[in-house]
Amino acid sequence: MDADRLWSELKRRKVLRVGALYLLIAWTLVEVAETIWEPLELPAHSLTLLIWAAAAGFPVALVLGWIYDITRKGIIKTTAVEETHEVAEEETLPVTASVAVLPFADMSEAQNQGYFCDGVAEEVLNTLTRIEGLHVASRTSSFQFRGQALNVQEIGKRLNVNTILEGSVRKSGDQLRVTAQLINVADGYHLWSQRFDALMEDIFTVQDNIARSIAEALELNLGPEHMRTMIRSSTRDPKAYDYYLKGWSYFHRFDTQNMLFAREMFSRAIEVDNNFARAWAGLADAAAFLYLYSECREEYRQQAEDASNRALELCDDLAETHASRGLAHLLMQSWEDSEKEFTRAIELDPNNFEAHYFFARACFHQGKMERAAELFQRAAEINPSDYQSTALLPQVYADLGDKKRENFWLDEAIRRGKRQLESNPNDVRALYLTGCLLARSGDSEGGLELGRRAMALRPDASIVNYNLGCLFALSGDPDRALDCLKASTEIGRSTVSWLEHDADLDSLRDDPRFQEIIDSLCELKAPAA
């Protein structure tokens, strides 16, 4: 254990506090003893023995302070902290006011309102994030527990929160019944619960009432300025709202066809309510993702530009609108403007995954690897189920020459990639990213197998060809690597800035054919990986 970790562990185990307290008590005893020793006619050497005993007890106190801790539950053995990465080594405890919003259960007879139930829960979550003094677990963190047979104590421990909000929705035509309960993680008891019977047009009032009730139960204040922001960014038209929720249900499936469906749903929401800022942001994000991961059509880039600009005009104090605008700037490699928007989004919502992830990509393009590592890692912490942010961390740390962190994140990224493929075996992006990771770890055959599956699913996709180039480079096949990279650039995918900093391609840099590919690229094409 190095000096820094030892110092942190001494503080975490409260050894320094124990030592200081012991010295204070020992000094006080000696002072008192010196005062009363003579009146009690005790032997003179007794005081010397007391001092020696106090000195001998000091290291014993430090050892006991290292091993045990005094808590409200009594004296317990202090647990060790595993050495992982640069995440803080001190034990994390829930903040005073914290909550996780679990996905609401679909109680409708047809069981076909899952998208609507998720939307209700997410809207409540978004409102709660704007309460000062309240820590709210991110959507991606809390929604990962959907369908898992875990009690609230276990979920609260994993998410580091002390309250859990769970609920259900029954929707039949225009009739709604929404139930919600706020549960104390410590003892499992309800802090608040209520049932709302309402019409569809009243769903916004129901969501506001749930958020207000939680704030009151936790003795916090949901101020009028917070509500004004949510009203400006949202809609009061139930039809537009329904389209909007359907859009996000498609968006979160993250494949080309569903992203096209998401784009269509957001467009319909805007047709119903042209001032729906968050629908404009959703449309911009869907178009940007299609441009990045499907096909770099100018139509998509222009739509991301126009829609993100409109969203920001309608509501400039919402994290989502600034993140969408930052993503649109990233498509054009306007790095300064992109950084400005992502920074503002993170200021407004420190748990915004997209802002961190795409800000990190912007830094990667510019060769700002230390900042990229910080942002990718934060994105991975915000969304424990995301595999993309972790997939890029090993090559960032390889570029920085940090072998320890490279290996740690390589293992973690492979674990997340395999988990994604277990639930979605045809996720093309998970296939080629995990394939590259396996090749980097030394399992070239396993990596190539995943790469072949990705190519079979999307042989004409430039981004697949690019990452197959990385895979072959890592596997020691430079000819096939260069063929794939050339095919990728001919479709129009790669950029000079990404290739220059992609550590997966380091083995190709001295090959004249690689330099020819670099020379052939136009700086204004879309990001690659």
Side-chain angles (χ1 to χ4, degrees), residues 243 246-268 282-283 285-291 293-295 297 299-300 303 458:
Y243 281 135
K246 286 179 179 177
W248 280 113
S249 72
Y250 288 124
F251 187 98
H252 290 306
R253 297 172 195 176
F254 203 80
D255 61 59
T256 299
Q257 190 58 55
N258 280 298
M259 201 63 71
L260 288 169
F261 288 151
R263 179 172 173 250
E264 176 65 22
M265 291 299 104
F266 290 134
S267 296
R268 291 187 184 183
L283 177 60
D285 288 345
F289 272 60
L290 286 167
Y291 188 77
Y293 300 118
S294 178
E295 189 176 359
R297 292 166 55 181
E299 172 194 351
Y300 296 149
Q303 189 169 57
R458 293 293 308 279

Side-chain angles (χ1 to χ4, degrees), residues 299-332:
E299 172 194 351
Y300 296 149
R301 192 207 62 77
Q302 191 61 53
Q303 189 169 57
E305 170 74 15
D306 296 341
S308 65
N309 194 45
R310 174 64 174 157
L312 201 59
E313 288 176 354
L314 290 168
C315 189
D316 63 355
D317 51 0
L318 191 69
E320 290 93 325
T321 59
H322 285 279
S324 294
R325 191 71 185 129
L327 183 52
H329 283 306
L330 184 149
L331 300 183
M332 288 297 295

Side-chain angles (χ1 to χ4, degrees), residues 22-23 86 125 153 174 179 188 218 221 287 294-295 299 325 352 361 402 404 431 436 461 473 477 482 484-485 488 496:
Y22 183 90
L23 290 175
E86 66 266 41
L125 185 153
Q153 284 85 0
D174 289 337
T179 62
L218 299 177
N221 180 43
S294 178
E295 189 176 359
E299 172 194 351
R325 191 71 185 129
N352 188 291
R361 289 176 62 93
D402 191 331
K404 180 179 178 181
L431 283 169
C436 289
D477 191 341
L482 290 163
C484 287
L485 290 178
S488 173
V496 170

Side-chain angles (χ1 to χ4, degrees), residues 84-87 373-374 376-381 386-387 389-397 402-416 437 440:
T84 55
H85 42 91
E86 66 266 41
V87 174
E374 294 172 4
F376 276 135
Q377 185 169 307
R378 177 63 184 138
E381 293 166 356
D386 174 67
Y387 63 90
S389 51
T390 53
L392 293 168
L393 272 167
Q395 60 179 294
V396 171
Y397 280 121
D402 191 331
K403 195 66 178 178
K404 180 179 178 181
R405 288 186 172 91
E406 178 190 349
N407 290 336
F408 173 85
W409 285 109
L410 182 59
D411 292 340
E412 175 66 9
I414 291 173
R415 183 185 70 82
R416 292 196 188 192
L437 293 165
R440 178 176 282 278

